[in-house]
Amino acid sequence: MTINVILNLLAALALLGALYAQQRRHASFSVRVFTGMGLGVLLGAVLQALYGASATELKTTGDYLDIVGSGYVKLLQMIIMPLIMVSIISAIIKLKGINSLGKISALTIGLLMLTTLIAAGLGILMAKLFQLSAVGLTASTADVARGVYLQGKVEAAQAISLPSMLLSFIPANPFLDMTGGRKTSTIAVVIFSVFIGIAATGIHDKKPDMFASFERFIQVAHAIVMRIVTLVLRLTPYGVFALMAQVVSTSSYTDILHLIDFVLASYSALILMFCVHLAIVAGAGLNPARYVKKILPVLTFAFTSRSSAGAIPMSVQTQTLRLGTSEGIANFAASFGATIGQNGCAGIYPAMLAVMIAPTVGIDPFTLSFIAPLLAIITIGSVGVAGVGGGATFAALIVLSSMNLPVALAGLLISIEPLIDMGRTALNVSGSIAAGTVTSRVLGETDLAVFNSDAELPIDSDRKAA
C-alpha cells in the first residue's frame, strides 16, 4: 500500500467520521443519506482529478471503499429472504381470505407491466427526439470485447420464453431459492411463503391451538427480522457515500461526453417516467409532493447501489412506515418489482437500444410494423429480469435477439453503462413503490394518517436506545 493510498483512505475515514458525527447530532435519516451522497461525489471527483480514472492508486483505494459500499449491499441482501418470508406469511395470516391475495397480486403485477409498456414507449420517443443511432459509432477495444461477450450470451437469452420463465417462478427447491441461487429466487420465495401462509390459515378452525402457536412464532420472527432491518439500514449513509465515491472516481468523463446524447435521452426518459409514476399516485388521491419527499432516501440508495433487489428492505419500510401501505402489499410490490416489470432496465433501455441499432441493418424503427412487436416483446420480456446489476443487459439481449437485431452493438455503450444504470435502478424501485402505493390505496388499505405525517423511519426514532 502506497502513501497516496493511505492518504486517500484517511480522507475517506475523515468523511465517514463526519457522517457519524451527524448521526450523533440526531440529524434526520434523509439528511444523512443525502449528505453521504454529496460527500461521496466530492471525494470521487477529487480522487479522479488527482490520479485519473484508471490509476492504480484509485483502484486500490476503491477496493478498500468497496468493503463499506459492497459490504453494506451484502448485508441488505442477507435480510431480503427472511424479510420476504416472515412479512408475507404474517400478512396472509391477517388477510380476510384468498380473494384479497388475488386482488393484491393482480393489481400489483398489472401496474408493473402497464408502467413498463409506457416506459418503453417513452424510450422510443426520446430516441426519436434525440435522433439516436448506432450507425457510425466507433468501437474501442473494451467495446469490442463486450460485444463478443454479449454475442456469447444470445443463445441463453433466446432460450427464454414466457412459459419457461413462468415455470421458473415455481420453487422446486425452496431451500435453494432461500439462498438466492436463481434469478427468479425472490419470486419463488414469495410463492413458497404464500403457500405456508395459506396452509396456516387452513388449520385456523381445525387446530386453533397449533395455529395460535404458529402465529405467535411468526410474530416473534417478524419482530426480530424487522429489528435486523433497522440495524442494517442505519448504515445507509455510509454505504451510499462509499458507493458514490467509487462511481464518480472511476467514471470516464471523456466517454460520457462522447455519448452525451444517449445519456441525455436516457435521463429524459427516466425523468418523464418518474413523472408518470407521480401522476398515477396523484390519480389515486395522494399528494405527489409528499410522496416524493418520503421515497427520496430509498431512491438515493437504489441510484448509488444499482441494485433493485438490495433496495427491497428499505422499500418495504418506506412503504409501510412512511406511506401507510399495508405490509402485505408493500412486500408483494417490492418483491415482484425487483424481478417483474422494471421500468428502467426492462422498459426504457431495451426500447432505446432497439431503435438505435435498427438503422444499422437497414430497418426504419419508427414504423408501426417495428414498434408494435417491440412493445409487445418488451412488456412480456420484462417478466423475470434479475434485480441486480446486469439485469438491463439481459433484458436487452432478449429484446434484440427477438427482433433479429445485432446484439454485439450493445457493447458500444459499455463506457457509460454504470452512469445510466444508476438512473434505471432508481426508476425500477420507484415503479415498484408506486405499484404498491396505488394498490394499497385502491384496496382501501392505506393508512392516510401515516402518509400525511412527517414521521421518519424507526432508524431515527430509536437511535438513542441503540
Side-chain angles (χ1 to χ4, degrees):
M1 184 184 298
T2 65
I3 185 66
N4 287 337
V5 173
I6 293 174
L7 292 174
N8 296 340
L9 295 178
L10 288 175
L13 285 173
L15 294 175
L16 287 171
L19 285 174
Y20 180 71
Q22 195 177 47
Q23 177 179 332
R24 296 282 294 178
R25 292 195 302 269
H26 308 311
S28 72
F29 180 68
S30 300
V31 169
R32 290 189 286 116
V33 168
F34 284 111
T35 301
M37 183 177 180
L39 292 177
V41 170
L42 176 63
L43 179 63
V46 170
L47 290 177
Q48 181 166 150
L50 290 175
Y51 303 104
S54 59
T56 303
E57 293 93 340
L58 206 56
K59 182 183 183 305
T60 305
T61 302
D63 289 341
Y64 282 96
L65 284 174
D66 204 40
I67 297 174
V68 179
S70 294
Y72 170 66
V73 174
K74 287 180 179 295
L75 287 176
L76 284 171
Q77 292 171 335
M78 171 190 76
I79 59 178
I80 289 174
M81 295 308 182
L83 174 63
I84 289 173
M85 285 199 69
V86 299
S87 297
I88 288 182
I89 293 171
S90 176
I92 291 176
I93 289 176
K94 296 174 184 175
L95 286 176
K96 298 176 181 178
I98 303 303
N99 289 335
S100 298
L101 183 61
K103 291 177 182 177
I104 292 171
S105 302
L107 273 171
T108 302
I109 296 175
L111 283 168
L112 289 170
M113 300 290 281
L114 174 62
T115 52
T116 300
L117 176 63
I118 296 172
L122 288 176
I124 294 171
L125 177 62
M126 289 301 103
K128 172 69 173 177
L129 293 179
F130 283 83
Q131 299 181 336
L132 299 181
S133 175
V135 176
L137 285 180
T138 303
S140 67
T141 303
D143 297 334
V144 172
R146 176 68 168 175
V148 172
Y149 170 78
L150 293 177
Q151 193 69 52
K153 294 292 184 179
V154 172
E155 186 176 346
Q158 289 177 331
I160 298 295
S161 64
L162 183 59
S164 65
M165 182 59 71
L166 294 176
L167 189 62
S168 70
F169 293 162
I170 300 175
N173 184 351
F175 299 101
L176 171 65
D177 288 316
M178 288 177 199
T179 69
R182 303 186 299 140
K183 288 185 176 181
T184 55
S185 284
T186 302
I187 293 182
V189 170
V190 170
I191 292 174
F192 181 61
S193 302
V194 167
F195 270 97
I196 294 176
I198 292 174
T201 58
I203 65 171
H204 180 274
D205 295 328
K206 298 177 181 178
K207 301 178 180 179
D209 292 339
M210 294 183 68
F211 175 81
S213 298
F214 180 75
E215 185 178 28
R216 178 60 179 168
F217 165 75
I218 292 297
Q219 289 173 349
V220 173
H222 183 266
I224 293 173
V225 169
M226 293 309 294
R227 181 59 184 172
I228 297 174
V229 169
T230 298
L231 293 174
V232 173
L233 290 186
R234 285 182 179 173
L235 302 175
T236 300
Y238 311 103
V240 166
F241 162 78
L243 291 166
M244 203 67 203
Q246 288 177 279
V247 170
V248 174
S249 64
T250 56
S251 294
S252 171
Y253 301 147
T254 302
D255 289 337
I256 292 172
L257 290 174
H258 179 63
L259 294 168
I260 191 64
D261 285 345
F262 184 79
V263 174
L264 292 176
S266 296
Y267 273 90
S268 296
L270 293 170
I271 292 170
L272 285 174
M273 193 59 213
F274 182 66
C275 291
V276 171
H277 294 166
L278 297 185
I280 294 173
V281 170
L286 299 172
N287 186 319
R290 181 174 290 276
Y291 171 82
V292 170
K293 180 181 178 181
K294 288 173 176 285
I295 68 171
L296 273 180
V298 64
L299 295 189
T300 301
F301 166 71
F303 184 83
T304 53
S305 69
R306 298 167 55 197
S307 173
S308 300
I312 288 177
M314 193 184 299
S315 174
V316 171
Q317 279 218 334
T318 298
Q319 290 184 68
T320 55
L321 302 178
R322 304 201 72 190
L323 298 176
T325 300
S326 69
E327 190 169 341
I329 294 175
N331 274 278
F332 267 92
S335 302
F336 279 105
T339 312
I340 292 177
Q342 295 185 358
N343 293 180
C345 290
I348 291 174
Y349 185 65
M352 293 183 71
L353 275 185
V355 170
M356 284 181 65
I357 293 173
T360 66
V361 291
I363 297 175
D364 180 0
F366 303 109
T367 61
L368 183 62
S369 60
F370 182 86
I371 292 176
L374 176 62
L375 291 176
I377 290 170
I378 287 174
T379 304
I380 296 173
S382 68
V383 177
V385 175
V388 295
T393 300
F394 193 72
L397 286 177
I398 294 174
V399 172
L400 294 177
S401 61
S402 299
M403 298 292 291
N404 294 317
L405 296 174
V407 299
L409 290 177
L412 293 172
L413 303 175
I414 181 177
S415 56
I416 58 169
E417 176 67 15
L419 177 63
I420 302 297
D421 196 39
M422 294 165 75
R424 290 193 309 242
T425 307
L427 186 70
N428 295 341
V429 175
S430 172
S432 68
I433 294 175
T437 301
V438 173
T439 297
S440 181
R441 179 66 169 155
V442 170
L443 296 179
E445 297 288 336
T446 301
D447 187 337
L448 292 178
V450 172
F451 183 89
N452 292 321
S453 73
D454 294 321
E456 285 281 354
L457 292 177
I459 297 164
D460 298 291
S461 63
D462 66 350
R463 188 186 298 115
K464 293 180 180 180

